[in-house]
Amino acid sequence: MPLDLFTPFDLGGLTLANRMVMAPMTRNRADTDGCVPSLMVDHYRQRATAGLIVAESTTVSLQAVGYPFTPGLHTAAQAESWRRLTDAVHAEGGRIFVQLQHCGRVSHPSLLDGQAPVAPSALAPVGQAVTYTGPQDFVTPRVLNTGELPGVAEQFRRASDLAKQAGFDGIEVHAGNGYLIDQFLRDGTNHRTDAYGGSAANRMRLLNEVLDAVCEQWPADRVGVRLTPENGFNSMSDSDPQGHFEYFFGQLSPRGLAYVHVLEGGMATTAVSLDYRALRERFAGTYIANNGYDLDRARAAVHAGHADLVAFGTPFIANPDLVRRYRANLPLAAADPATFYGGGEVGYTDYPFHQDAEAAHAPVAGARHGNSPHSALAGA
């Protein structure tokens, strides 16, 4: 039988019902202490028919926080709150990983108890941070010294241990979108002259140390990595993204990881300038393609062997039953960008399943909307 988006897939011993992945999407609806409220439980339960859910970017420490109302996995209370969510997804037959995150320089002292954000080099991103009191200019980050970097890997190890306690099926290490690990990988933000800077091998050192640490808690085939080779979000750049990321993909290949999850292009566009087929060929394991895929393009990618799985972002926001809609060629509801970030159930848990979808989804007057600029499509 030819491969299709709706054929099952074995991922590290997990049988996925289909090859559709719900991409990690920051929605800014956690509690101020980084715990998961019942609203988030309902949101993920509704979308459990995805072959795999990758839960939204989740901070590995207080130092890692970059946005308001984002969940964490660095306290027992946070893990316990996530457990209610993973149990709900599993009760519906779903599979769920969590994306572990350190925002690095993409933060603000007001989110970090007055401390400066940290980074590989003293280079501030252009623009403004999103804070509890509104937009604030980014500040020049504090450079992490060499002796601190094992501690960053330890933050990820501890979070991965809590992820197991929280009932996740696996973890995804966020190494993209201009956050801390990506800041080390790309030479536009890494100007170091120590063992963590200069060559591609040195710039990959932190990612390798993080993977070594989390694989102490999880088998490698339950650990994925998120990469965004040409994404310019958060003032990112690289002198040779094709060559550097071919090296990174090749170095990841022997690890036996669950997957690489790749944003093909940038968060603001589906246009690409890199040869993603060449990148895909450097990695022997499961490849998840992401960025603006629709049903036809996703099916073609799976059928041609370009992707094993395809991640969808915005379509899952407005269509909790996206798998059914795609399988049956049913019309899709449109997402309301005004409700992507922050707020309550409006634009989050109130999108109807198809049998209730005769009336178009409309935002409720007076609902609170967030203003975070990061893209739901790519998963922040």
Side-chain angles (χ1 to χ4, degrees):
M1 185 174 77
L3 296 180
D4 188 70
L5 200 59
F6 306 107
T7 56
F9 186 81
D10 182 272
L11 183 72
L14 287 174
T15 299
L16 309 185
N18 55 72
R19 295 165 185 251
M20 292 178 59
V21 176
M22 177 176 159
M25 291 177 283
T26 292
R27 304 297 302 279
N28 304 94
R29 282 168 168 88
D31 295 340
T32 55
D33 58 4
C35 287
V36 170
S38 59
L39 187 69
M40 285 178 61
V41 176
D42 293 341
H43 174 78
Y44 282 95
R45 180 196 288 117
Q46 290 173 345
R47 289 153 179 80
T49 54
L52 176 67
I53 293 172
V54 182
E56 63 203 80
S57 177
T58 299
T59 57
V60 298
S61 69
L62 289 173
Q63 183 193 67
V65 174
Y67 299 98
F69 300 110
T70 51
L73 264 174
H74 46 90
T75 71
Q78 291 166 348
E80 184 178 350
S81 72
W82 274 113
R83 185 79 200 206
R84 294 183 296 110
L85 190 153
T86 61
D87 284 349
V89 169
H90 290 148
E92 298 294 330
R95 305 293 194 183
I96 184 166
F97 280 36
V98 62
Q99 185 186 73
L100 299 181
Q101 159 80 316
H102 193 308
C103 288
R105 70 178 189 162
V106 184
S107 188
H108 188 269
S110 66
L111 298 168
L112 303 171
D113 292 330
Q115 300 297 307
V118 297
S121 302
L123 301 168
V126 175
Q128 294 185 308
V130 180
T131 78
Y132 285 102
T133 58
Q136 304 259 8
D137 289 344
F138 283 119
V139 302
T140 300
R142 178 179 69 80
V143 176
L144 286 161
N145 66 55
T146 306
E148 291 180 278
L149 292 171
V152 173
E154 172 59 21
Q155 292 174 25
F156 279 88
R157 188 206 64 77
R158 172 63 175 157
S160 70
D161 178 48
L162 288 171
K164 185 174 290 186
Q165 297 177 38
F168 286 100
D169 296 304
I171 64 170
E172 177 177 293
V173 173
H174 198 345
N177 288 359
Y179 300 117
L180 185 65
I181 296 176
D182 197 24
Q183 292 161 25
F184 274 84
L185 289 176
R186 295 205 254 180
D187 60 14
T189 43
N190 185 342
H191 294 181
R192 300 174 76 96
T193 57
D194 64 359
Y196 292 86
S199 68
N202 281 357
R203 286 183 281 111
M204 192 181 182
R205 190 179 304 275
L206 179 60
L207 174 56
N208 280 327
E209 291 179 352
V210 167
L211 291 173
D212 289 343
V214 300
C215 287
E216 294 176 10
Q217 305 299 321
W218 290 86
D221 62 3
R222 294 295 183 92
V223 176
V225 176
R226 170 76 159 175
L227 295 168
T228 58
E230 62 178 309
N231 190 10
F233 182 57
N234 286 322
S235 304
M236 296 302 293
S237 64
D238 191 87
S239 65
D240 181 16
Q242 186 76 46
H244 291 156
F245 277 85
E246 284 188 19
Y247 173 81
F248 299 148
F249 276 62
Q251 292 297 303
L252 291 173
S253 189
R255 283 184 170 272
L257 297 171
Y259 58 77
V260 290
H261 181 184
V262 184
L263 180 75
E264 298 175 342
M267 290 171 73
T269 177
T270 57
V272 301
S273 60
L274 301 189
D275 182 350
Y276 285 93
R277 188 72 187 205
L279 294 178
R280 194 258 185 277
E281 289 173 354
R282 294 284 290 166
F283 183 75
T286 297
Y287 181 96
I288 303 178
N290 174 227
N291 202 11
Y293 277 83
D294 59 14
L295 174 60
D296 290 341
R297 186 170 165 235
R299 280 182 143 164
V302 170
H303 182 72
H306 172 69
D308 300 293
L309 307 170
V310 179
F312 302 87
T314 301
F316 263 116
I317 290 178
N319 300 276
D321 53 347
L322 183 65
V323 176
R324 174 175 174 249
R325 293 191 193 222
Y326 271 170
R327 190 192 297 269
N329 285 309
L330 298 171
L332 298 188
D336 176 13
T339 60
F340 280 1
Y341 306 113
E345 71 278 359
V346 175
Y348 192 60
T349 57
D350 66 336
Y351 283 105
F353 288 70
H354 183 261
Q355 61 266 30
D356 303 316
E358 288 78 9
H361 176 82
V364 175
R368 183 173 70 84
H369 305 323
N371 60 355
S372 178
H374 42 287
S375 168
L377 243 182

